[in-house]
Amino acid sequence: MSTFNRTSLTLRLTLLFTLISTLVLLTLGGTINSLVEQHFVKLDSELLNGKLSLVRAALAECKSAKELQKLPPRLNDALIGHHGLSVEILEPLSGIVIFAHRPEGLPANIAALPLNKVMKKETTRNGEPIRYLGGQANAAYANSPTLIVALASNLNEHEAFMHSFRITLWVIVLSAALVSGLLGWAAVRRGLAPLNEIRKNTAAITANKLSQRLLTAHMPAELAQVTLTLNEMFARLEDSFQRLSHFSSDIAHELRTPVNNLLTQTQVTLSKNRSIEEYRDVLASNAEEFERLSRTIRDMLFLAKADHGLVIPNPLPVHLHEEVQGVLDFYEPLTDDKKITVTLTGESTVRGDSAMLGRAISNLISNAVRHTPEGGYINVSITSERNRVCLSVINSGQTIAQEHLKKLFDRFYRTDASRQRDSEGSGLGLPITRSIVKMHGGDVSVRSENENTQFDIWLPTHTPD
């Protein structure tokens, strides 16, 4: 079975087509052969029954024993032209043969054979195949004995014709099956040509040519959907490959600076003897860099899990007002230090993972605190709209250019110097926020105008599937 599964589709379809064609042709040939045989049986039956009726009519005209003796010449005249026909009339008790026409063509024991039934017998007096019919008849005079009329039709010509017919028929059937197989192979080859085209075009798509797509204009309807599905898969692969390439480049860039700082600082420290306080300062500085690296790596692992659906929220009721208030209380020393006015309005409850949603809210508020100038304001509002809840974080500050807005949620993306993240930021806060919101079946957007920047988180009020 495994060997057959490895054979080409062309060969399998050709064999299947040939097998079906052969079965149909064999069935047709067997049907024709049976119909021809039944036709000969019908002709022989009509001939034998007709001659039996003729003999009975002739015997019915015999009014006396003398007329019965004159019967043979009349019957011989009536049987002229029937070369394969044998007829015999006899008395069953005495065994006297009244009339015999080619008696060698009759069975050996006529008296033991059934009457009024056409049957094929092969035990003739000379061993030839015949079709036999026996019947009873009486003369018209009184006290005439009941006679047995035996008739047989020689089947040699029929058998020869059927033998030749069968040979011709099976030769035609086998030839037709062979031709059907060849035509089926050609048809399958032509029908599967689009698959070969798909194979060739797919083989040409490499890591450096992921932008290429399969042509769908001339594809048959059965393969058009397959081609579209493959193109969609290639598009996803291209997008994933590009994001992976950019992500790898961003990781290398982000990790290179702190690693270089650590290496340089360590080399400088080791270049000469230092005091214990100096070593302690260097180790403290290195610890800060390692902590930043740890946060960056942790955030990247979180995003990698989120992209592959490995982070599953625990859906429980989450009171957004309490979550936001907790975050604002945490940042209160910073907002007070920068004299930032903070307001919170609205209340709503959603279902989700409290820790994840708290992290997303914290990322937005932390971003707003960093980029709000001294004496500015941060407004957080919670509003409900049908089956959705919108949490908006608005902060004053320099307007973000439109070309940067679409890229704010990209990993490690930097805008201009006025929106540059500080030394504590990893550049992954907004991407993590978007991943968390997406996992909860929501969406996040940003807009910036008139020295105001607004982030909106839209969350469904029901639990996402």
Side-chain angles (χ1 to χ4, degrees), residues 341-353:
T341 303
V342 179
T343 59
L344 171 61
T345 59
E347 169 63 81
S348 185
T349 301
V350 297
R351 292 186 63 83
D353 188 281

Side-chain angles (χ1 to χ4, degrees), residues 140-180:
Y141 62 92
N143 299 323
S144 62
T146 300
L147 305 176
I148 293 180
V149 181
L151 303 97
S153 177
N154 192 284
L155 301 180
N156 281 332
E157 292 185 3
H158 292 178
E159 295 287 340
F161 173 81
M162 289 302 300
H163 179 71
S164 176
F165 175 76
R166 290 191 187 98
I167 293 176
T168 304
L169 180 63
W170 299 133
V171 169
I172 293 175
V173 168
L174 294 177
S175 300
L178 179 60
V179 172
S180 298

Side-chain angles (χ1 to χ4, degrees), residues 308-368:
H308 291 84
L310 300 180
V311 180
I312 308 299
N314 182 24
L316 293 173
V318 178
H319 301 284
L320 294 180
H321 187 93
E322 294 180 4
E323 290 293 333
V324 175
Q325 187 62 57
V327 175
L328 293 177
D329 291 342
F330 178 80
Y331 286 103
E332 185 176 358
L334 291 177
T335 56
D336 290 343
D337 185 58
K338 297 177 67 174
K339 299 179 180 180
I340 298 175
T341 303
V342 179
T343 59
L344 171 61
T345 59
E347 169 63 81
S348 185
T349 301
V350 297
R351 292 186 63 83
D353 188 281
S354 176
M356 290 187 180
L357 290 177
R359 185 175 183 180
I361 296 170
S362 177
N363 288 339
L364 292 186
I365 294 178
S366 173
N367 183 74

Side-chain angles (χ1 to χ4, degrees), residues 90-162:
L90 55 87
E91 294 183 9
L93 298 179
S94 62
I96 299 175
V97 178
I98 298 176
F99 172 78
H101 177 73
R102 297 182 71 250
E104 69 279 0
L106 291 168
N109 187 8
I110 295 175
L113 296 176
L115 301 177
N116 301 320
K117 180 180 179 181
V118 177
M119 57 183 297
K120 181 179 179 180
K121 296 291 292 183
E122 297 183 358
T123 56
T124 59
R125 295 171 184 176
N126 55 5
E128 294 183 350
I130 62 171
R131 188 164 279 111
Y132 168 81
L133 174 64
Q136 294 179 333
N138 295 91
Y141 62 92
N143 299 323
S144 62
T146 300
L147 305 176
I148 293 180
V149 181
L151 303 97
S153 177
N154 192 284
L155 301 180
N156 281 332
E157 292 185 3
H158 292 178
E159 295 287 340
F161 173 81
M162 289 302 300

Side-chain angles (χ1 to χ4, degrees), residues 275-292:
S275 64
I276 296 177
E277 293 297 330
E278 290 176 329
Y279 282 125
R280 184 179 290 110
D281 292 339
V282 171
L283 291 177
S285 177
N286 288 350
E288 292 179 0
E289 289 292 336
F290 282 125
E291 185 179 355
R292 188 182 327 180

Side-chain angles (χ1 to χ4, degrees), residues 375-395:
Y377 61 86
I378 297 176
N379 297 331
V380 182
S381 63
I382 303 172
T383 57
S384 298
E385 178 182 329
R386 295 184 181 179
N387 295 326
R388 297 192 305 169
V389 174
C390 179
L391 189 152
S392 300
V393 178
I394 306 173
N395 69 281

